[in-house]
Amino acid sequence: MSDEEDLDDLEPEQDEQEREDDKDAEEWEDYRKEGEDLPEEWLPTPLTEDMVKEGLSMLCKTGNGLAHAYVKLDLKDRDLTDISLLCSYIHLRYVDVSENHLTDLAPLNNLTHLLWLKADGNQLRSAQLNELPYLQIASFAYNQISNTEGICHPRLASLDLKGNRIQAVTGLDAEKLKSLHTLELRGNQLYTTTGINLPKLKKLFLAQNMLKNMEGLENLSDLTTLHLRDNHIESLSGFSKEMQSLQYLNLRGNAITSLGELAKLRDLPKLRALVLLENPCTDETEYRQEALVQMPHLERLDKDFFEEEERAEAKEIHQRMKEDQEQEAKAEQDLEPDQPSV
């Protein structure tokens, strides 16, 4: 597939992703404010058979195909504090227990056919579960989770942990998470990016954290999308030519002051869209031009595509800089003293 085809596929997704990113930033702020007023204790509300019957749907074949069972369960917003009853519902494949008051998901360990789990908006302090061999999508957003230990599902493709209290990523084993391609960690308390050594990752969302730099992401060769909005990043060190698939990079709302930092993105061969809004460097007069000089392959900066005139001017500047560098190198070489013959 050509670069142009790659870009055609990516452009609508980029626009949609930026809209979602703006929306998520607002929702996270609203959720944070609401959370300040939440009570710390609730009346015990265990799951009942009647609740289960009301929430069950999607009748499917099970086992050898001779029996049937309902495989989808919606228990969203029931004020639940205990779901122990689910231990016996081993055929469930899709479970939504979001917007409750749960502190423990251990009963789900018996659901070995689980494909999809949503447990957002509870009081969970951990996302740890026994290995679930078929789990592909899991969301634990807006809980009180402080670590990433105990997540080891071999077919897990998408993991959402946004809006928690995670300070550092630990325990994510690439050998046990071979299928993970999307990791959502927005709105946590991350101060480092070490520990995200997941070479198969394609989308990584780290916005609204406390990051000052990037480290340990050099080997993410399959990564296409990286969101670092609303952090405290001052330097663009940490990118490498091994990140050969990166196409979209969002650095909005950081602390990048020098346009010279953009030179550190030269080694990203497929980078097509870069967002730098709300960084001090964007106040520079030649901001767009400098970005294109440093990255001639860039198609879009912030929300605007480059015009042909901008591209031609940047190409001319780049050529002049190259010629000047060659002349300087030649002059230095001429000034070097001749080596004495032996």
Side-chain angles (χ1 to χ4, degrees):
M1 180 178 287
S2 69
D3 288 346
E4 288 76 17
E5 288 173 322
D6 279 343
L7 187 61
D8 289 341
D9 290 340
L10 188 64
E11 285 166 15
E13 184 176 322
Q14 288 173 356
D15 291 334
E16 181 64 27
Q17 189 59 69
E18 285 175 15
R19 285 193 291 270
E20 286 296 318
D21 195 42
D22 290 338
K23 180 181 176 184
D24 284 347
E26 295 172 1
E27 287 181 351
W28 164 236
E29 185 62 22
D30 291 343
Y31 188 89
R32 185 185 64 78
K33 290 177 180 177
E34 290 174 5
E36 293 173 354
D37 300 325
L38 288 175
E40 295 185 355
E41 296 182 1
W42 295 268
L43 292 175
T45 307
L47 180 63
T48 65
E49 292 284 1
D50 287 341
M51 289 181 185
V52 172
K53 290 178 182 178
E54 185 179 342
L56 284 172
S57 63
M58 194 180 293
L59 190 64
C60 293
K61 293 180 179 179
T62 63
N64 59 11
L66 300 178
H68 290 75
Y70 288 104
V71 299
K72 185 175 181 180
L73 179 61
D74 184 353
L75 295 173
K76 182 178 179 180
D77 198 12
R78 300 295 188 93
D79 291 327
L80 292 172
T81 59
D82 183 352
I83 55 171
S84 299
L85 188 61
L86 290 186
C87 288
S88 59
Y89 286 82
I90 60 173
H91 296 298
L92 287 174
R93 300 175 192 172
Y94 308 91
V95 173
D96 186 348
V97 290
S98 56
E99 307 303 328
N100 285 291
H101 308 309
L102 301 175
T103 59
D104 182 18
L105 295 181
L108 301 182
N109 287 327
N110 287 2
L111 309 187
T112 55
H113 295 282
L114 200 63
L115 301 173
W116 182 91
L117 171 63
K118 188 172 183 180
D120 300 350
N122 281 283
Q123 300 296 309
L124 301 173
R125 296 184 180 275
S126 172
Q128 184 167 355
L129 288 166
N130 292 348
E131 180 180 309
L132 297 172
Y134 302 109
L135 186 64
Q136 298 176 31
I137 297 175
S139 183
F140 306 94
Y142 306 121
N143 278 279
Q144 298 179 22
I145 296 170
S146 59
N147 63 74
T148 54
E149 298 285 340
I151 301 172
C152 55
H153 316 295
R155 297 190 183 182
L156 189 64
S158 177
L159 175 62
D160 190 342
L161 289 164
K162 70 170 169 279
N164 279 285
R165 300 178 179 180
I166 301 166
Q167 295 185 353
V169 175
T170 57
L172 294 187
D173 188 339
E175 290 300 313
K176 295 180 179 179
L177 294 169
K178 293 181 179 181
S179 301
L180 191 64
H181 61 66
T182 300
L183 179 58
E184 170 65 87
L185 286 164
R186 276 182 280 202
N188 277 278
Q189 300 169 13
L190 288 171
Y191 62 86
T192 178
T193 54
T194 57
I196 311 179
N197 187 22
L198 299 163
K200 298 299 182 182
L201 212 57
K202 293 185 177 181
K203 295 184 178 182
L204 178 58
F205 301 92
L206 298 171
Q208 298 153 350
N209 278 284
M210 303 168 66
L211 301 171
K212 293 184 178 180
N213 51 50
M214 288 164 292
E215 48 192 341
L217 303 182
E218 298 87 356
N219 296 322
L220 301 187
S221 58
D222 287 350
L223 196 68
T224 63
T225 300
L226 177 57
H227 273 251
L228 291 159
R229 176 178 176 173
D230 295 333
N231 278 282
H232 309 293
I233 295 171
E234 299 176 355
S235 168
L236 294 182
S237 298
F239 290 95
S240 73
K241 59 184 179 182
E242 279 72 29
M243 301 174 77
Q244 57 189 357
S245 301
L246 190 61
Q247 301 178 42
Y248 178 80
L249 175 60
N250 192 328
L251 287 159
R252 181 173 182 171
N254 277 280
I256 301 166
T257 58
S258 172
L259 289 176
E261 290 294 315
L262 298 180
K264 298 174 181 177
L265 302 180
R266 287 177 183 169
D267 291 333
L268 303 176
K270 287 194 175 182
L271 187 63
R272 294 294 182 266
L274 174 64
V275 182
L276 280 171
L277 293 168
E278 299 172 25
N279 277 273
C281 66
T282 62
D283 294 332
E284 298 290 332
T285 305
E286 305 299 331
Y287 159 55
R288 285 180 61 81
Q289 184 183 83
E290 180 66 20
L292 194 54
V293 169
Q294 298 291 354
M295 296 167 284
H297 52 279
L298 202 61
E299 297 285 346
R300 185 171 70 171
L301 181 62
D302 300 328
K303 297 186 178 182
D304 297 318
F305 283 88
F306 284 105
E307 302 291 341
E308 285 304 318
E309 293 81 3
E310 292 178 292
R311 197 169 294 283
E313 185 176 357
K315 184 177 181 180
E316 184 178 331
I317 295 172
H318 182 76
Q319 184 62 34
R320 285 203 305 267
M321 290 173 58
K322 183 179 179 182
E323 291 172 357
D324 291 344
Q325 290 171 356
E326 290 174 351
Q327 290 178 3
E328 288 176 7
K330 186 176 184 301
E332 289 178 3
Q333 188 177 20
D334 292 341
L335 289 174
E336 290 179 0
D338 294 335
Q339 297 293 326
S341 58
V342 178

